[in-house]
Structure formats: C-alpha cells, structure tokens
Amino acid sequence: MESLVRPLYSSSTILSPKPTNSSVPLPIQLLPLKPISSTFSLSTKLPLPSRSTAYVLYATQESQVSEVESQVSEVVNNETREWAMQDFYSLRKDVETVSERVEEIRASAGLRQLEQELVALESKAADSSFWDDRARAQETLLALTDVKDKIKLLTEFKTKVEDAETIINLTEEMDSSIDSGLLEEANGIIKELNKAIDRFELTELLSGPYDKEGAVIFITAGAGGSDAQDWADMLLRMYVRWGEKQRYKTRVVEKSPGEGAGIKSATIEVEGRYAFGYLSGEKGTHRIVRQSPFNAKGLRQTSFSGVEVMPLLPEESLNVEIPEDDLDISFSRAGGKGGQNVNKVETAVRITHIPTGVTVRCTEERSQLANKIKALSRLKAKLLVIAEEQRASEIKQIRGDAVKAEWGQQIRNYIFHPYKLVKDVRTGSETSDIAAVMDGELEAFIKAYLKYKYSMAMSSPPSV
Amino acid sequence: MKLSVTHVFAVPNFSIWIKPSLVRNLHQSVCCYSLKSAPPTSLKPQIPLFLRPPTHTATLSDLKKWHEWAKSLASSVGTAFVDLDNGPDSSLLCRELKWLMEDVTKDRLLPCQIPSEKLQGNVGLRVSLEDLYRLWKQRIEERRPFQYIVGCEYWRDLVLCVEEGVLIPRPETEQIVDMVADVVSDNEGLRKGLWVDLGTGSGAIAIGIGKILNSWGRVIATDLSPLALAVAAFNVRRYDLQDIIELRQGSWFEPLKDSEGKLTGIISNPPYIPSSHISGLQAEVGRHEPVIALDGGVDGMDDLLHLCKGAASMLKPGGFFAFETNGEEQCKRLVDYLETDAGDSFLSVKIMPDFAGIHRFVTGFRK
C-alpha cells in the first residue's frame, strides 16, 4: 500500500483537500431546469482541467472550505501519508458508486429497448416511400435523432466510468510510476458524470410530451360548506406560493367566493418551463383533517377538495378535432326573458365531452365567445393529457370510466389534528412540517411522485 | 398626407379626454370634424376607462381600502336585486368589481394581486381614487350598468365602447354573427355582397359581420341616434373597418333608398320589448339604457314587422335576413307574417333558439 501512496504524497498540494460529496447526487432542483443537451459530451463540453489549471481550481476551493475542514487538513498535513491514502480510497469508492449508478441508469433508461427502437426507426427511414409523407418523415427523423443521442449519452456514461476505473486499477497495480494527474482526471470524470447523470435523470422524469409546458390548476371545494371551501382556499394559497417560489408567473385568473368563507372554485395559470411536468402529479382529491374553525365545538372535521391540472398549451399545438356532436356546451343563463330584457355579466361556459364525461368550465373571460374558446382549448388540453396517460393514440380511445376513477383519486392527506402530518397516499412520502407545506414547500412530494411515476412506467410493459 | 390627417382626428387627444362629459358639451356647441365613415355630427364618444392614460396614482394601501369597501358594498346586496327585479347578486357584482379594477389600474391588476403584506408603493390609475368611490356607488346605489361605468362591453372577441344613450350589446346577439358566418361560409355571392345592420347602436353586429366578410363585402350600419353613430364610428375605427363599414343616420330603411332590391343581407336587433313591460325591467336596463332601443310598441312587434315588410323590397333574390326577437311568441307571429302576409317573397324561414333555449331569432332568404 505504501507504494500506492507515494506518488500522491509527492503531489499532496494538488490533491488536498479533496472536494467533498463528489459521489452524492445533487438534490434535484426544481428550477431552473434546462433540458439536457442532446449532444452532451463529456470530452468536448466539459473539458477536464489541465494540470496547470488544477492548482488554481483547488486553490480556490481550499479558500472556500469551512473552518472545520481546514482544521482537518492541518491535521492531515502532519500525517500526509495517511490522508492521501484515505483520499485514494475515497476516490475508489466514488468510482464504484458511479459505476453502479451508470449501470442502473442504463438499465432503467431501457438501453436495450432503445437499441431496438433505433433499428426500427432506421429501417423505417430507409424505406423507399419514407418521404411520401413529409411531416411524418420529419417526425421519424426527429425521433431517430433523439434515440441516437440518448444511446450516445448512455454509451458515453459507460466509457467515462470505465476510464475512471482504469485509472484506479492502474494505480493499484502499478508501483511508483503513476502520475497523480491521472487521479485528478478520474476525480474530474466522476464529478462531471454525477452532474450529467443528475441532469439525465431529471429530464427522464420530465419527459412527457407536455411536461415542459405551463399549467392550469383548477381547484374545486368538495361538499361540506364552509369547511371544504376554506380548505380549497388554503390549497389555492399553497399552489400560488409554490409557483411564486419557483419564480413562475402565477396568476389566479378566476376565483368564485364561497358563501361564508373560502372559495367554491379557483383557476390558477402557471406560466414557465416544466410547470406542468411538476404539477401534473398534484391532480386528485386532497383531504384535510382538522378541528373545524367553523364549529363552536371545534369538532374534528374531514374535508375534501379536488385539484385538476392541465397543460397550458399554445393554440397551434391543440390540433385535435372534436366532433361538434360530442360536445355539450352550456352557457350560464341570466334567467327570465333574456335578450334586451336582461343585463348581467354572466358569460360562463361549461363544456362536457360526452363520450368521456370530461368537463371543463371557463368563467374568467368577459365575453361568452372568449369563454367558449378558452374552455374548448382547456378541454382539448385535458383530453390530450388523458389520452397520453392512457396511452391512447387518439381521443376516441379514451376510457371515460378510468378518467373518473383516476382524476378523483385521493392523493394526499393533510392532518392538522390530533397530530401534524402530510402524507402522500401514492408515494408514502410524508412530513410533519405541515406549515411549510401549506406555504408552498411541495418539492419533496413532487420529486417523490415523479420518481414513483417513472419507476411505475419502467416496470410496466412497454407500449407497442 | 391625407392618412395622417384622418389619424389625428381618429385618435382623441387623451389629455383633453380625461373629463369626457365636459369635452362633449364643448363639442356640442362647436361644430367639429366628422369621421370619414360617420354622418355629420357634433358628438364625440366618451373614452372607456381602459383606454385612458394612467395619469392618476394611489398608494397600494388606499387602493386596497377602496377595494375592500367596494367588496363589502357588493356583499351587502346579497340577493336583494335578484328578488327585486332579477338583477345581479353579490357574486356577479364581485366579478364586475374585479373587472373594474382590471380596467382602471395601469397594469391590469387583479384584486388578488395586491400583496397583503407589502402595501408601500403606488399604483397608476386611469381615474382618480375619488372617482372610483363615486363610480362604484353609482353601480350599487343607482344600479348604473357596469358597462357604462367602465365604458365598454366585451362582446364576442371584441371590446366595444358604450355609453349612456347606446344599447349595451347582449351575449345572445353574439349568435347572429355566427349565423351570418354560416350562410356566407359556402356562398361566395353572399360573402361579396352589401349587408346592412339596422339600428346598429354600438356597431356590434356590423363590426362582427364586417370582420367575417373581410374585404370581400361591405356593410352599411344605420341608426336614428347621432350619439349611437358616433360611438359606432369610434368602434369601427378601433377595429380598422372604416373601409368596409359605412355609417348612415336615419330610421330603418330610410337612409338606404339608393339600395332598394340590392341588399345581400339585412340583420337587426330592433327594439322588441312591449311598452307595458318597460317599467318592470331590471333597473340596469329600464332606468339607464335608451328606451328608444328597447320599446317595440304595444306588443313589441312594431319595428320587427316594419323590418319584415321592408325586407321583401330591399333584399335582392337569394338575400338573407336575421332578426332578434323577444321570444317564442314574437318568433311565431313573424314566421306567420313572412309565410302568409308577405306574399310569396321568402323561403327557408326558420326560428333559431338562443343558448338558453329561448326561441330568439327568425332567419330566412328572399326568393
């Protein structure tokens, strides 16, 4: 072992102190998120520091280390040999961890499937009639590039981690002639790999066709009067705070007040990249248990509110034709004789898609036509998402019964009394810091759900 | 050069327009320029709130105070107006309040966007805070229609300026434009023709149709009221349709004598409320909107019948007509008239329901 350490010893100024946490995945940050570059390449985009720059690099890091760490490095300087050896071990451990991570991600990303897909797409593109339908051809080529890029990236993960492994093995096998620069290189590879894998994971989690769009959140109070309406209002605040924290442009576009307290319903528009991806898992029924503030006896009370989430799609991407006969469009009526007899600002429009029972409402616009247009685009967005969820290739194939079951499913409990706990029914993730959650701290729940959804998608048989 | 001159007249000088009533009086006595498409008139329409410059300021906390006052005033109404004359309830008034705030603040602020914690800072307003108190008081205490308060009405995809003396276009009437769109969609002859909107008021129907015909056809909009025509001219110009829509003053077909037998389409939402019903109307309508645009005589059919009579001689063969009515009874009587009394002039006479299922429109073609 001594022999291994010697070369490190001679260059301890370079290696110490080692940057910490290189193998711990960075926490998934909700924002800002850039889609992973499809041509990501470790060697071109993230050049490893040359030896001369390494001094500078580590020097700056040294100046940033905490007091505790600098004390540690003082101790280490006295026993340089021991420290350097630990450093090597730790590097070796890091390489092992990343290697496992790479294997894992190659498996979960369905590398084999991707390769099959690539073959299929390539044979399609080679077909003599390929260019007959230009639009479809373009689509195929795009898909082909995507798949290729993904495979390339996964391959690169593998080669890079192998490079690092080779360095470790070499260091172990060789005696004194090893350049400490190589270990540096391995260290750099590991750091960059971890970052790249983090990014890859997140884009995988948010790879749905509408995930990068903005979102519309529609909150409706359940039955139960003031308690439920107050609960709906609390949820409204929670999502608005969440949106603000992500620095999304968050607007409450419609709010219909409850009789006594709270709201009957509200609509929030959240503009920004990936808003829908993050929020899509929030749809469902949210349940609160607390001592009722509306009851003199303060009895324990359970209330429900429904949350629906739709992507905020640009008009041109809503190229779905829905037969007029499939739509039940109702307008709010001013009552009485109508026409010239009445002047009321009731312009709400409600549209039901008869085959699936999917319903949307739009009340925030000031004219009926404007409400109708907006309601229709919301309906289309909702149907597109449902079709995607059910892996239906068109609206016609949507199973209405499944929509009802899924969109109304109870997803999260918020217990204020007798103890404090927020628990997601689907993922099991929970926290007792209910105040923070109501203040928009939803990251943990959102992240857990995205991972849960991803693992569900991976374990279920691939769609054909 | 000519273009720039018209432009100067079309876009009012905002600094003058802050007190529209004063300016209007001023212009009534001084003969001023008429718009290219407007008949000679000395009337200038009021500028709706949302088009006024934000020359006033208020602190956020003062605006919030006003909003809270206005909201509690709206809430105090409860269902009192509904019970009285089928007027608006609190929740509709709150919706109006939200829109008023949107129209009046510089950045189209929504009430919920006033931060509850930080109340320092100012907001640009299009009327003074004092006026805001006055306007909302008028809304609740005098039942002044919301559309007259803000000076506009959202109708179809349009924002139309309105003011006292001009009927506020109703959502039901939006459908008439769809009917025209339907008949011209597969008939180029109809699309390229000359259409008329009789009793145009704010110009709503004429503008709706004008946008559909685009540069293919032409529309003449008539009204008896010079004020209505001035407002219509303002709206026409806002949608840049002055080359398609011509405005003429006069009663029904009177200003159209040169077009007898040449019209491709006749559209109208004439006054159709029976005289005896006027006093019992919802206060916003009965007390504030122009009776001349509502009162259709003893049975409400005076003007509708007059229009049907005229349609036979004014429409060219194949021409289309659509009229709005007070409901089933009037529809039936009109159809009776068109199919029997009017000789053999019309075909495919139909009754069309509005979105609430009330038989609202009568349409048909000249043989």
Side-chain angles (χ1 to χ4, degrees):
Chain A
M1 263 311 166
E2 227 172 277
S3 60
L4 291 179
V5 169
R6 205 168 296 134
L8 298 177
Y9 172 51
S10 64
S11 60
S12 61
T13 42
I14 296 171
L15 285 172
S16 71
K18 199 186 155 299
T20 52
N21 282 344
S22 70
S23 73
V24 179
L26 298 169
I28 292 180
Q29 282 172 346
L30 288 175
L31 254 188
L33 174 76
K34 283 190 191 130
I36 189 159
S37 158
S38 52
T39 54
F40 165 73
S41 152
L42 287 170
S43 49
T44 55
K45 289 209 172 167
L46 304 160
L48 293 162
S50 74
R51 216 172 308 168
S52 56
T53 57
Y55 279 98
V56 183
L57 187 75
Y58 288 128
T60 36
Q61 281 186 346
E62 196 157 20
S63 65
Q64 287 165 352
V65 292
S66 68
E67 213 176 297
V68 182
E69 271 176 292
S70 48
Q71 279 166 4
V72 170
S73 64
E74 249 169 63
V75 178
V76 162
N77 278 338
N78 297 338
E79 303 164 79
T80 316
R81 187 173 283 231
E82 186 57 28
W83 179 87
M85 200 150 96
Q86 275 178 354
D87 190 58
F88 172 74
Y89 286 148
S90 138
L91 180 62
R92 194 175 64 181
K93 181 94 187 68
D94 287 352
V95 173
E96 277 166 19
T97 317
V98 172
S99 175
E100 277 166 30
R101 243 191 123 186
V102 167
E103 281 316 310
E104 229 171 78
I105 203 144
R106 281 164 63 90
S108 70
L111 186 60
R112 206 168 272 177
Q113 235 172 279
L114 283 170
E115 277 160 353
Q116 282 169 7
E117 218 174 300
L118 179 67
V119 173
L121 284 168
E122 270 172 343
S123 74
K124 225 189 212 177
D127 197 285
S128 57
S129 62
F130 180 64
W131 284 104
D132 292 356
D133 184 345
R134 282 196 82 85
R136 185 160 293 183
Q138 282 296 354
E139 233 169 73
T140 310
L141 286 185
L142 274 179
L144 191 63
T145 322
D146 267 3
V147 172
K148 269 188 186 163
D149 285 344
K150 219 163 163 184
I151 292 174
K152 188 175 158 213
L153 198 61
L154 290 167
T155 317
E156 244 169 38
F157 287 165
K158 180 85 176 163
T159 34
K160 286 295 161 187
V161 82
E162 279 169 358
D163 285 354
E165 279 167 343
T166 311
I167 294 171
I168 296 294
N169 292 340
L170 268 177
T171 313
E172 275 176 339
E173 283 162 21
M174 306 285 248
D175 266 5
S176 57
S177 59
I178 286 181
D179 191 339
S180 63
L182 272 178
L183 284 173
E184 251 174 75
E185 195 178 322
N187 197 24
I189 290 173
I190 295 306
K191 271 203 310 187
E192 294 307 333
L193 251 180
N194 269 315
K195 273 192 213 158
I197 295 173
D198 284 342
R199 261 180 292 170
F200 183 81
E201 272 186 349
L202 194 55
T203 39
E204 282 294 288
L205 293 178
L206 294 173
S207 61
Y210 311 112
D211 282 356
K212 64 175 185 305
E213 309 289 349
V216 184
I217 310 174
F218 185 59
I219 302 169
T220 350
S226 293
D227 274 298
Q229 288 169 0
D230 184 52
W231 173 226
D233 205 7
M234 289 162 75
L235 285 175
L236 172 67
R237 183 178 174 279
M238 179 178 88
Y239 286 117
V240 169
R241 293 304 286 263
W242 177 83
E244 284 166 355
K245 278 182 188 172
Q246 310 306 316
R247 275 179 272 149
Y248 283 134
K249 195 177 159 210
T250 309
R251 294 193 312 143
V252 179
V253 290
E254 178 268 338
K255 196 160 102 171
S256 116
E259 285 98 7
I263 54 165
K264 283 183 200 153
S265 69
T267 310
I268 314 169
E269 282 185 5
V270 186
E271 280 176 56
R273 283 176 69 73
Y274 288 99
F276 179 72
Y278 292 123
L279 287 167
S280 60
E282 293 297 299
K283 71 162 192 287
T285 300
H286 296 242
R287 171 174 173 260
I288 185 179
V289 180
R290 62 170 169 178
Q291 279 181 299
S292 170
F294 303 100
N295 184 311
K297 288 178 191 156
L299 293 176
R300 214 162 77 125
Q301 173 88 33
T302 298
S303 310
F304 300 90
S305 279
V307 172
E308 285 186 31
V309 185
M310 290 155 256
L312 198 56
L313 295 179
E315 196 56 44
E316 60 273 14
S317 64
L318 293 167
N319 51 352
V320 218
E321 284 297 321
I322 302 175
E324 194 84 12
D325 291 346
D326 283 358
L327 298 176
D328 177 17
I329 305 180
S330 57
F331 302 90
S332 63
R333 296 164 190 190
K337 295 194 181 85
Q340 290 167 7
N341 300 275
V342 180
N343 172 13
K344 285 191 189 175
V345 292
E346 281 183 313
T347 54
V349 175
R350 182 190 164 90
I351 307 183
T352 302
H353 182 242
I354 301 164
T356 57
V358 171
T359 298
V360 293
R361 247 167 75 85
C362 186
T363 60
E364 69 258 26
E365 297 297 324
R366 282 162 72 162
S367 90
Q368 204 158 53
L369 183 75
N371 271 326
K372 187 180 155 189
I373 290 170
K374 203 161 180 183
L376 199 58
S377 51
R378 276 191 192 153
L379 178 77
K380 285 179 178 174
K382 196 167 168 184
L383 287 171
L384 282 172
V385 170
I386 294 169
E388 166 67 21
E389 281 171 357
Q390 296 193 357
R391 297 182 181 182
S393 56
E394 50 185 326
I395 305 292
K396 263 192 276 178
Q397 296 177 347
I398 292 175
R399 302 178 309 277
D401 49 336
V403 177
K404 220 172 189 179
E406 160 129 18
W407 285 60
Q409 186 200 20
Q410 188 179 315
I411 64 153
R412 203 174 293 146
N413 289 314
Y414 303 74
I415 299 164
F416 285 73
H417 182 83
Y419 50 89
K420 293 193 188 318
L421 182 73
V422 184
K423 182 164 182 154
D424 197 290
V425 179
R426 303 159 300 181
T427 61
S429 71
E430 58 178 57
T431 173
S432 58
D433 194 354
I434 201 161
V437 173
M438 297 318 297
D439 213 24
E441 290 293 340
L442 294 170
E443 283 87 336
F445 290 106
I446 288 174
K447 200 169 82 183
Y449 177 74
L450 287 175
K451 287 196 162 167
Y452 162 82
K453 192 173 97 180
Y454 184 67
S455 64
M456 293 292 281
M458 280 304 148
S459 60
S460 66
S463 57
V464 182
Chain B
M1 229 22 236
K2 192 186 158 200
L3 197 95
S4 66
V5 172
T6 358
H7 185 70
V8 169
F9 298 144
V11 179
N13 183 340
F14 282 121
S15 61
I16 302 175
W17 285 106
I18 295 162
K19 285 184 179 165
S21 55
L22 185 117
V23 176
R24 216 169 99 206
N25 294 337
L26 210 111
H27 277 273
Q28 270 167 345
S29 52
V30 184
C31 186
C32 75
Y33 329 93
S34 66
L35 300 174
K36 186 185 152 206
S37 56
T41 167
S42 58
L43 294 173
K44 278 275 186 177
Q46 293 182 28
I47 303 301
L49 298 190
F50 81 102
L51 286 180
R52 296 186 198 180
T55 49
H56 304 265
T57 49
T59 63
L60 265 172
S61 78
D62 281 346
L63 184 66
K64 197 178 166 71
K65 227 180 268 169
W66 168 78
H67 182 257
E68 268 160 17
W69 166 82
K71 205 171 158 187
S72 69
L73 202 58
S75 303
S76 70
V77 169
T79 59
F81 297 165
V82 181
D83 303 337
L84 194 67
D85 55 18
N86 188 31
D89 65 2
S90 293
S91 69
L92 282 186
L93 290 169
C94 284
R95 183 177 296 170
E96 294 179 1
L97 179 60
K98 182 181 124 186
W99 293 342
L100 171 60
M101 187 136 145
E102 199 177 67
D103 277 10
V104 90
T105 50
K106 184 171 165 248
D107 307 309
R108 299 187 73 73
L109 206 63
L110 293 170
C112 57
Q113 287 169 330
I114 303 181
S116 44
E117 299 90 18
K118 278 189 292 180
L119 287 176
Q120 297 97 332
N122 291 323
V123 197
L125 295 178
R126 300 176 197 282
V127 296
S128 67
L129 201 61
E130 206 173 79
D131 278 344
L132 270 180
Y133 277 99
R134 191 174 50 79
L135 288 171
W136 194 247
K137 232 178 164 151
Q138 287 175 349
R139 176 69 193 102
I140 305 291
E141 289 173 7
E142 296 168 26
R143 305 276 305 270
R144 188 178 174 209
F146 168 72
Q147 295 89 342
Y148 290 158
I149 302 264
V150 291
C152 70
E153 166 72 333
Y154 283 58
W155 192 82
R156 291 184 66 84
D157 51 348
L158 310 167
V159 184
L160 299 165
C161 303
V162 291
E163 64 180 76
E164 266 88 356
V166 179
L167 185 80
I168 299 160
R170 303 291 199 264
E172 284 89 345
T173 313
E174 289 187 15
Q175 246 172 293
I176 273 201
V177 180
D178 292 327
M179 293 174 200
V180 174
D182 275 352
V183 297
V184 302
S185 68
D186 52 356
N187 188 328
E188 203 171 295
L190 288 179
R191 177 189 279 258
K192 284 182 172 168
L194 175 61
W195 290 70
V196 294
D197 169 17
L198 302 175
T200 192
S202 62
I205 296 177
I207 294 170
I209 296 174
K211 282 184 76 176
I212 283 165
L213 300 180
N214 211 342
S215 54
W216 295 91
R218 297 180 49 76
V219 182
I220 299 174
T222 72
D223 208 292
L224 191 57
S225 153
L227 176 64
L229 284 174
V231 170
F234 184 87
N235 287 323
V236 166
R237 203 163 265 282
R238 252 175 54 77
Y239 287 95
D240 201 23
L241 290 168
Q242 60 273 19
D243 294 334
I244 293 171
I245 301 172
E246 186 192 335
L247 298 167
R248 294 186 186 176
Q249 193 193 347
S251 173
W252 306 128
F253 296 105
E254 240 175 55
L256 296 169
K257 285 184 179 138
D258 56 335
S259 306
E260 200 168 332
K262 294 180 193 161
L263 298 181
T264 309
I266 300 176
I267 311 297
S268 184
N269 174 22
Y272 53 62
I273 297 174
S275 305
S276 59
H277 294 189
I278 298 287
S279 62
L281 287 173
Q282 183 194 337
E284 281 81 1
V285 183
R287 272 199 244 158
H288 296 273
E289 291 198 88
V291 178
I292 190 180
L294 300 167
D295 190 342
V298 177
D299 56 2
M301 299 272 300
D302 287 4
D303 300 293
L304 279 168
L305 287 171
H306 178 75
L307 289 173
C308 286
K309 273 177 207 154
S313 62
M314 297 299 291
L315 280 176
K316 68 178 185 186
F320 174 79
F321 69 86
F323 302 128
E324 184 173 322
T325 76
N326 202 30
E328 192 174 348
E329 203 192 312
Q330 289 192 358
C331 279
K332 270 190 191 153
R333 286 188 51 198
L334 271 195
V335 171
D336 269 0
Y337 174 83
L338 290 163
E339 285 179 342
T340 55
D341 301 341
D344 203 15
S345 313
F346 300 100
L347 54 87
S348 338
V349 174
K350 270 196 281 193
I351 294 175
M352 304 289 282
D354 64 16
F355 54 77
I358 296 175
H359 290 176
R360 180 68 61 197
F361 310 99
V362 176
T363 67
F365 293 88
R366 179 78 171 88
K367 269 190 185 165

